[in-house]
Amino acid sequence: MDKLDYKKEFKDLYLPKTQPMEIIVPKMNFIMVDGKGNPNDEVGEYKKAVELLYSLSYTIKMNKEIKKNLEGYFDYVVPPLEGLWWLEDDDMDFSKKHKYIWSSMIRQPEFVTKEVFELACYEAKKKKPDIDISKARFEVFNEGLCVQCMHIGPFDEEYLTTEKIDKYIKENNLINDICGINEDGKIRRHHEIYLSDPRKVKIERMKTVIRHPVRRK
């Protein structure tokens, strides 16, 4: 059986066009790590969060103890890294990267439950005793109605894509709902999905899905 690749199977979620589009995002399982600070800081929280996310995600995918006791397991490609972003004090100057607050996250397959996550934490801790498992959490994320668009280029030019999204929202009887509250009581945030490895792709060709929560007027 071929591995399930979420990017290829669910192109509406991961491979939008470079023009904005509406989408209703379904509930999905995630492992998340919260933090703050400049994501480019080599000794900052963000790098450690990403390492923790991948450690747990690959533990669930590869660990024999988990696989043999897991009902409904199927082989899959670990989905891409994602992030929810906002700024301290509701500041809108995104050049102030030291003020970033974020939830970094990786989607998990449908068979992953909180119990599976906790077992993965246990197994990962055995393999890497120095890892701080307490930073991670399992969450069923329900994003709902959004407008999204593919951004191609450096992160510092994302404003060009968010301007297109804002224009689409105004022209299509929608309201930007960033900082709104969804039906689960969670605050809705600016959302990014990272499809390119910056170590392997030229900066001008990097692909990032930009997704903004919206509601209808």
Side-chain angles (χ1 to χ4, degrees):
M1 181 178 177
D2 292 337
K3 295 180 182 179
L4 174 62
D5 187 334
Y6 285 91
K7 297 192 302 297
K8 295 179 180 178
E9 188 70 19
F10 301 98
K11 292 182 179 180
D12 57 332
L13 294 172
Y14 298 102
L15 296 172
K17 305 296 184 182
T18 55
Q19 293 302 317
M21 58 171 282
E22 288 181 47
I23 184 170
I24 297 178
V25 184
K27 290 182 180 180
M28 290 181 275
N29 299 331
F30 280 90
I31 296 175
M32 297 185 173
V33 178
D34 301 324
K36 59 184 178 179
N38 189 336
N40 299 319
D41 186 349
E42 282 296 317
V43 295
E45 293 182 30
Y46 186 77
K47 184 177 180 180
K48 294 176 182 177
V50 171
E51 290 174 352
L52 176 56
L53 286 169
Y54 277 110
S55 178
L56 292 172
S57 295
Y58 277 99
T59 297
I60 291 172
K61 175 178 167 59
M62 304 297 295
N63 185 273
K64 293 180 180 179
E65 289 300 314
I66 292 177
K67 291 167 67 174
K68 75 179 183 181
N69 295 306
L70 189 53
E71 183 178 351
Y73 179 89
F74 54 82
D75 200 5
Y76 61 98
V77 177
V78 171
L81 179 70
E82 307 185 30
L84 306 175
W85 297 86
W86 62 105
L87 287 164
E88 292 179 7
D89 308 320
D90 294 323
D91 191 340
M92 294 304 292
D93 184 355
F94 282 88
S95 67
K96 299 176 181 177
K97 296 181 180 180
H98 66 285
K99 299 184 74 174
Y100 283 5
I101 305 176
W102 39 263
S103 294
S104 191
M105 57 200 206
I106 294 179
R107 181 181 181 176
Q108 303 300 308
E110 291 70 23
F111 57 74
V112 176
T113 62
K114 187 175 181 181
E115 290 72 26
V116 173
F117 164 73
E118 290 173 349
L119 180 56
C121 289
Y122 173 77
E123 294 293 337
K125 187 70 173 178
K126 283 200 305 182
K127 189 173 182 179
K128 297 180 179 180
D130 294 334
I131 198 169
D132 187 359
I133 295 294
S134 68
K135 298 285 188 180
R137 73 179 192 278
F138 176 79
E139 182 173 316
V140 179
F141 184 50
N142 185 20
E143 198 163 20
L145 181 64
C146 295
V147 171
Q148 65 181 14
C149 187
M150 182 70 77
H151 172 73
I152 300 177
F155 297 132
D156 287 342
E157 293 182 1
E158 284 184 2
Y159 70 92
L160 298 172
T161 298
T162 59
E163 286 174 357
K164 289 196 293 185
I165 291 174
D166 289 341
K167 184 174 184 290
Y168 179 94
I169 290 171
K170 290 178 181 178
E171 293 176 350
N172 287 272
N173 203 37
L174 298 167
I175 297 173
N176 189 315
D177 202 31
I178 288 178
C179 295
I181 307 296
N182 70 13
E183 61 185 36
D184 296 333
K186 302 288 186 179
I187 299 175
R188 309 181 80 192
R189 300 295 189 187
H190 169 94
H191 187 173
E192 301 181 1
I193 304 173
Y194 308 108
L195 302 180
S196 302
D197 186 338
R199 298 169 300 179
K200 301 176 181 179
V201 178
K202 291 182 178 179
I203 191 169
E204 65 269 18
R205 297 185 64 83
M206 286 176 50
K207 294 182 177 180
T208 306
V209 180
I210 306 296
R211 186 181 290 162
H212 282 183
V214 297
R215 54 188 171 88
R216 302 200 187 279
K217 289 184 180 179

